[in-house]
Amino acid sequence: FDHVLVESSGISEPLPVAETFTFEDPATRSSLNDVARLHNLVTVVDAASIFDQLGTMDTLVDRGWEDVPGDKRTVSHLLCDQLEFADLLLVNKCDLVSEAQLGAVETFLRKVNPTAEVVRSEHSKLPPATLLGKARFDLRKAGEHPQWLVEAREHEHTPETVEYGISSFVYTARRPFHPARLHAALGSRPLEGALAGLLRLKGF
């Protein structure tokens, strides 16, 4: 074959897909990159609903999209991961939004991923040469990403959370804390109860 187009599932992320090209077969010591070249990582963006999806608090489990049992990712988290590592962002359904809305979508995409090429489309129609005639993926650049091969290297480094016995969590809610009660809980010293081991917090 001259070209192979691979359509990942809707909840997959470009970064792990790219990482598979570096994994060696223990028996043959060869990798996928020895027999094929990754040219483009494409994320299709729904111009009509991207901001609604980024603003939702739904988890993948809430929508039945979880990849594995216990998947704790939110829809917005997944979308950001899909946008940040792509080489080509295909802004689809351009016929359903105004030029001003399209401009807002493209401005957002260029802030999230300044190096990706942004291309507009309707009904996902795209000239083949846009994909097959240009190789955008750069393995060297990909290796500079802070999450590159993190999962593959998880046993090579003892995380600080384990080494020092520190853990963290994220609390998210639409309803704000009661200012007076929050101040009373955090302003007293020493902290008591569930807050006794608290080292640091931040919020917005």
Side-chain angles (χ1 to χ4, degrees):
F1 298 100
D2 294 323
H3 302 279
V4 177
L5 298 179
V6 179
E7 181 181 6
S8 299
S9 70
I11 60 170
S12 68
E13 302 166 22
L15 189 148
V17 172
E19 289 177 336
T20 60
F21 279 75
T22 69
F23 299 157
E24 289 188 349
D25 183 297
T28 64
R29 305 300 297 175
S30 62
S31 68
L32 182 57
N33 201 49
D34 293 329
V35 295
R37 291 290 184 271
L38 178 59
H39 281 183
N40 295 289
L41 290 168
V42 184
T43 292
V44 180
V45 179
D46 187 333
S49 68
I50 179 65
F51 291 129
D52 289 337
Q53 300 300 334
L54 286 170
T56 184
M57 299 299 295
D58 290 353
T59 66
L60 300 188
V61 173
D62 292 334
R63 298 194 180 185
W65 295 356
E66 66 271 24
D67 191 20
V68 294
D71 195 333
K72 297 181 180 180
R73 291 177 296 171
T74 63
V75 172
S76 57
H77 182 184
L78 171 63
L79 290 179
C80 286
D81 286 341
Q82 292 177 331
L83 296 173
E84 288 175 352
F85 200 73
D87 304 309
L88 175 63
L89 296 172
L90 183 64
V91 184
N92 194 42
K93 299 186 180 179
C94 292
D95 53 319
L96 300 183
V97 296
S98 66
E99 189 64 29
Q101 290 172 309
L102 267 178
V105 170
E106 291 177 339
T107 297
F108 167 75
L109 295 178
R110 290 191 172 97
K111 287 183 178 180
V112 172
N113 190 339
T115 62
E117 184 175 346
V118 179
V119 176
R120 296 183 180 186
S121 72
E122 297 178 12
H123 305 287
S124 297
K125 293 181 179 179
L126 191 68
T130 303
L131 283 181
L132 308 181
K134 184 177 181 180
R136 299 171 179 84
F137 179 74
D138 184 339
L139 183 61
R140 180 192 56 78
K141 175 188 167 187
E144 297 173 356
H145 193 283
Q147 294 300 312
W148 182 254
L149 295 177
V150 166
E151 292 187 15
R153 298 193 307 262
E154 63 179 344
H155 300 299
E156 297 179 9
H157 170 67
T158 301
E160 284 73 14
T161 53
V162 175
E163 185 174 358
Y164 300 108
I166 299 174
S167 62
S168 64
F169 69 93
V170 176
Y171 175 83
T172 305
R174 292 186 179 275
R175 182 179 179 181
F177 286 108
H178 189 287
R181 290 199 290 267
L182 179 63
H183 183 270
L186 299 177
S188 60
R189 293 291 186 275
L191 295 174
E192 300 178 348
L195 299 177
L198 181 66
L199 296 179
R200 178 174 179 264
L201 66 86
K202 62 180 179 179
F204 57 91

